[in-house]
Amino acid sequence: MWKRTMATAAVFCVVVGLLMAGCGTEERDGLQNTSGDGPTIVLPDYGELRLSEAGTCKNLTVFLLVSGGASPRTSSDYLTLEEGLRRKVATVSEKESADVSTLQVVNRSEKPIFIQAGDIVKGGQQDRTIQVSLVIPPKSGPIDIPSLCVEPHRWTGGEKFDAAETKAASKEMKIAIQKGDQGKVWESVAEFKEKARDVTGGESQTSSVNEELEHARLTALVKEYLDTLGSLPDTHPEAVGAAFVVNGELSAIELYGDPALFRMSFPRLLEASAREAAVSGGAAFSPIEAGAIVEFLNAMEKGDTNEERIEENRVLRLENEKGFWAGVTDSDKKVIHREYLTK
């Protein structure tokens, strides 16, 4: 059992009191009128993108990135890993000689399965997160995918993983995952668990980040963010991504190859950012300007990309003085997903 100080009880009361304040307590909270034109940016793989006006709940703000050339779609060509596991058309398992840094995925469905960096799977010898975004083709054989541990003190159990319902829920964790730094992933897991315990008021019984991610008290706090912001993509069917801002600081920008894949991914993205916000609330902050997001995206076009091949996936990464991005394209160089993170 992880130890905690008696001071946590007092912090718990303060934090929960602040977070329980309703999203409607300030004029800027809620879904704003998104009919006006926001700042635009042209990215080589996406064309012209426009930022919507913000949707805000407490200390979480979300801007949509709306494509001028995308056609609204409600059905996706892909399954998510979560959906594939739930339908039992996908399996994630340890390799025959179990290795922390590698898992095996099999897709038995007729659709490709999209796996996003930061997806967390439960089970096996220890809970893991997927290091890179990938597409697993239909009717595949076993495919090795890179993974990182998010449960440092367990190496027992079975071969199979039975759920993928959570995602990395802090910028620090996402950066460590992008960089493939196992030590930093463990540090970010410990940091998130400590912050979450101040909100949940409970003791940690395991070393897995999933314990706190799925805690009932944290889930209750997250619900208000989801209820307020969950319908945001409905305001712009052409949206292909979103920027998530926590406490006035850009946490992540997630961009997808088409609106349908974005809409399918948005609920879990919002849930992860809401968890980050829920354990980070209480401090005063200044709202971010939309122009700052455009400026960051422009800055992230500078630098050389590194490429890695995993089956038919082209995994691309870029780091410069402003931040990081990592993404995946198919063999025809069609963009599937890209995640931007600030330093």
Side-chain angles (χ1 to χ4, degrees), residues 120-124 127-128 154 160-164 166 210 214:
I120 296 174
V121 291
K122 294 172 60 177
D127 293 353
R128 310 283 229 294
R154 176 171 73 92
K160 302 293 185 182
F161 293 81
D162 57 8
T166 54
N210 267 317
E214 297 175 337

Side-chain angles (χ1 to χ4, degrees), residues 23-331:
C23 281
T25 57
E26 297 181 20
E27 287 185 2
R28 63 184 176 84
D29 287 339
L31 301 185
Q32 301 179 14
N33 179 3
T34 57
S35 59
D37 289 334
T40 61
I41 183 173
V42 177
L43 297 179
D45 291 320
Y46 290 92
E48 184 176 276
L49 298 175
R50 176 173 56 83
L51 263 70
S52 71
E53 294 185 25
T56 298
C57 181
K58 302 176 188 172
N59 59 333
L60 174 62
T61 296
V62 181
F63 295 86
L64 296 182
L65 288 127
V66 183
S67 171
S71 300
R73 297 175 57 197
T74 57
S75 61
S76 175
D77 295 331
Y78 302 91
L79 298 177
T80 62
L81 180 59
E82 177 185 357
E83 192 173 9
L85 289 173
R86 185 174 64 248
R87 293 186 184 183
K88 301 188 184 304
V89 295
T91 57
V92 180
S93 60
E94 302 281 5
K95 295 187 68 174
E96 186 174 347
S97 54
D99 176 359
V100 171
S101 62
T102 308
L103 296 175
Q104 283 192 332
V105 178
V106 176
N107 178 11
R108 296 186 300 278
S109 78
E110 301 288 343
K111 282 188 172 185
I113 289 178
F114 171 67
I115 302 176
Q116 183 164 323
D119 283 352
I120 296 174
V121 291
K122 294 172 60 177
Q125 296 289 305
Q126 58 187 191
D127 293 353
R128 310 283 229 294
T129 186
I130 310 304
Q131 185 187 340
V132 296
S133 294
L134 297 166
V135 173
I136 307 300
K139 302 296 183 180
S140 75
I143 293 177
D144 290 354
I145 61 172
S147 61
L148 294 154
C149 167
V150 291
E151 188 180 10
H153 301 316
R154 176 171 73 92
W155 190 249
T156 59
E159 176 188 358
K160 302 293 185 182
F161 293 81
D162 57 8
E165 298 175 353
T166 54
K167 290 183 180 291
S170 73
K171 184 173 79 170
E172 294 75 20
M173 201 179 302
K174 292 171 186 175
I175 289 173
I177 291 167
Q178 267 203 24
K179 301 183 80 168
D181 189 330
Q182 180 62 81
K184 291 294 185 182
V185 170
W186 283 332
E187 287 180 17
S188 64
V189 165
E191 180 182 2
F192 182 86
K193 287 173 73 71
E194 182 178 1
K195 286 182 178 180
R197 288 196 299 272
D198 289 340
V199 171
T200 64
E203 300 263 359
S204 290
Q205 304 299 314
T206 75
S207 63
S208 176
V209 71
N210 267 317
E211 179 182 1
E212 277 69 29
L213 290 175
E214 297 175 337
H215 195 286
R217 285 177 179 165
L218 182 55
T219 299
L221 294 175
V222 164
K223 184 178 183 299
E224 191 170 3
Y225 293 95
L226 305 186
D227 289 346
T228 302
L229 300 173
S231 63
L232 192 56
D234 295 338
T235 64
H236 283 296
E238 301 87 2
V240 293
F244 297 89
V245 180
V246 177
N247 292 336
E249 294 186 3
L250 183 59
S251 177
I253 299 173
E254 307 283 352
L255 282 172
Y256 296 83
D258 65 73
L261 183 56
F262 167 62
R263 289 175 69 88
M264 185 170 65
S265 302
F266 182 78
R268 290 303 185 194
L269 297 176
L270 178 60
E271 193 173 66
S273 292
R275 287 181 171 120
E276 180 179 15
V279 303
S280 306
F285 64 91
S286 299
I288 195 171
E289 296 291 335
I293 298 173
V294 171
E295 183 179 342
F296 170 68
L297 285 171
N298 273 320
M300 291 310 300
E301 288 300 305
K302 300 174 182 177
D304 297 324
T305 57
N306 298 314
E307 180 176 332
E308 175 187 3
R309 288 286 185 133
I310 301 178
E311 297 294 321
E312 295 300 310
N313 298 275
R314 297 172 65 247
V315 178
L316 304 172
R317 298 183 180 88
L318 184 147
E319 177 180 355
N320 62 28
E321 70 275 7
K322 296 295 185 180
F324 315 82
W325 66 254
V328 61
T329 68
D330 62 19
S331 58

